[in-house]
Amino acid sequence: MGRPDDEYDYLFKVVLIGDSGVGKSNLLSRFTRNEFNLESKSTIGVEFATKSIVTEGKTIKAQIWDTAGQERYRAITSAYYRGAVGALLVYDISKHVTFENVERWLKELRDHAEANIVVMLVGNKSDLRHLRVVSTEEAMAFAEQHNLAFIETSALDASGVDTAFQNILTEIYRLMNRKQMQADTSATGPTIKAGQKISLGNDNNNPKTKKKGCC
Amino acid sequence: MVDNNNKNNDNNKVFDPWGFFRLEMAWYEIPTSEKTLERQEALDRKRDRKWAAMTHHAGGLEVFCAKASRKKKLKERVRKGVPRAWRRAIWPALLEVSVKPERSQARGAASYRAEAAREGITYAALCKKTAGDPPRDSVRDVIERDLCRTYPKHRLFETKTESTGVASLRRVLRAYAEFDPQTEYCQGMNYVAALLIIHVCGEDSIDAARRSVNDPTRSITRMRSREHLLTLDGSAEEDAFWLFVAALKAPRTRLRDLYGPGMPGSREALSVFDALLADSHPALHAHMRRENCFPDMFATHWIVTVFSAQFPFALVARVWDQFFLEGWKPVYRVAVAILAAYEKDLRAKDFESLMTFLRDLPDRVDVDRVFSLASKLNIKTHTIDKLERQFKLPPDDDDRHHPAPR
């Protein structure tokens, strides 16, 4: 018997990436603790939080890694992409350059993350309507072109935040389920047990080679 | 952004002796009761008198620091904690003291300032050159995004008011990026620069502490919010800048190694810390490793900012006292001691509980216990030297192919 938080069917590792100051840490605190801090501090290194959600009758625990945004920190933070099955790539709708840098972040994922990682493009600070410089259409077109999920959020007024996480976790779950069904042509194949870390990658990603943050 | 009237209209803000708001403080709440705080204040007063007598007897602070026969005494005194009001004068002085065993020449703020002056570089010129709106997607833009995210709960760095501390921090960080284009700016430098600005320029917090000390009815200071919009002394800001330069470049502290492209020094230091922990607390280290909990997951900010990002200033300032005199050894000792102080708790935790505990630890760390443990640790300079050589990375290794060592 564990605490309710410990009872889950699947554990997914998700990373939050994007330029500094786009609101990654506040998205994390809004989702996991329903908190927003106007006087937040810049993240040095990585931070970590978990939250469980229910989707399609299954409890999914998300283990979320929030990373420092400055390019220089990728030397430290890129190690955290390993084993991640999802990435929220965040930009600020009121700072166009943070949207332009999305391409660089995608390259970073291609270089360091699993090939099958589910990526969701997140336009944060949607409450700053009068300061908007990245239109929803522009971002949506970009997301379609690069085959990314897309959503706009405001960590400040909470809109879209739960949906963003719920959607990416559901998508990971479905993708994993499909892979699982393809792999187990019969019911005798290996099934994933509660608490086991799920990976969408291939063989080089078995638990033995995983070094980070899994249970 | 949403206006936060409650906070800004509050004319009765309460500060701790370090200048942080006492109300609604999460990060910086000094994790001791009022009583302990009063005890610490009394101790600070006692040490203040002691330092005054000591240095007077020697014929001044510089003479006191320079006299070889006093080195042991100086180290002893510094390890106990420099009285708050003395840091402004003592930090630059400590950096210039030659200590044994000396690994490299002592160099302080004055020598970097003089060297720059010989090349025609002055702080005023650097500021002038970097004034104005930051170019798009430039390093100054990155700096800009961190200014209001550096000690937002300190009276000098209040978010909403573009306070004098924020303006000073902007000038100091921009000037440094111009002064040292290879390092430019790395997140984390903002906390270090702000820490120095607070201690070198923020005389008001010392005054505040003095006033509270003189008022026996309370141990913390109340002030009207308008009063703390003071103008920082320009020459003090310049002093803070050159002390920042010295802290980054001096052979003893060499923070600059941490911040360059690829941050090789930061990754080396994390590896050294990991090895020292394995050596001194093998069972704790083994447990954390079994749980896949590695230092870079929780201690990156400990190292990159030398504790200044999240720990209470009661700890931060004491570490920096020793850092300026002895270099990295006391930093590693304190890092190991922080974990050692909670060994029993840590060894009972699984990965997620470890991460949560370590995330929240800066808020409630028992400062006295940590320093008491740190002083008993058997961590030797030559061990650190050996480990530093072992984990040495090339200077601008950008880590595309080999992530932090495991």
Side-chain angles (χ1 to χ4, degrees), chain B residues 3 13-14 18 26 38 54 80 83 118 158 195 201 203 207 232 234 293 297 315 335 341 348 354 361 369 384 390 398:
Chain B
D3 201 15
K13 282 179 176 169
V14 181
W18 305 98
E38 272 166 35
M54 237 167 22
K80 283 184 175 169
R118 280 195 296 277
E158 217 181 348
L195 173 79
C201 314
E203 252 176 319
D207 288 342
L232 295 178
C293 180
M297 294 173 174
L315 181 141
L354 278 169
L361 186 58
R369 187 166 151 68
I384 294 172
Q390 187 184 331
D398 77 347

Side-chain angles (χ1 to χ4, degrees), chain A residues 19-26 37-44 68-70 125, chain B residues 28 142-153 157 159 166 169 185 187 190-191 309:
Chain A
D19 279 8
S20 86
V22 297
K24 298 180 291 295
S25 300
N26 267 323
N37 193 354
L38 259 182
E39 297 177 325
S40 67
K41 303 199 303 168
S42 46
T43 305
I44 304 296
Q70 195 186 4
K125 309 198 186 178
Chain B
Y28 296 110
V142 179
I143 291 172
E144 205 61 26
R145 289 179 219 170
D146 281 342
L147 294 175
C148 289
R149 301 194 294 163
T150 311
Y151 303 137
K153 288 173 184 172
F157 294 93
T159 313
V166 171
L169 183 61
Y185 173 71
Q187 291 190 300
N190 51 327
Y191 292 105

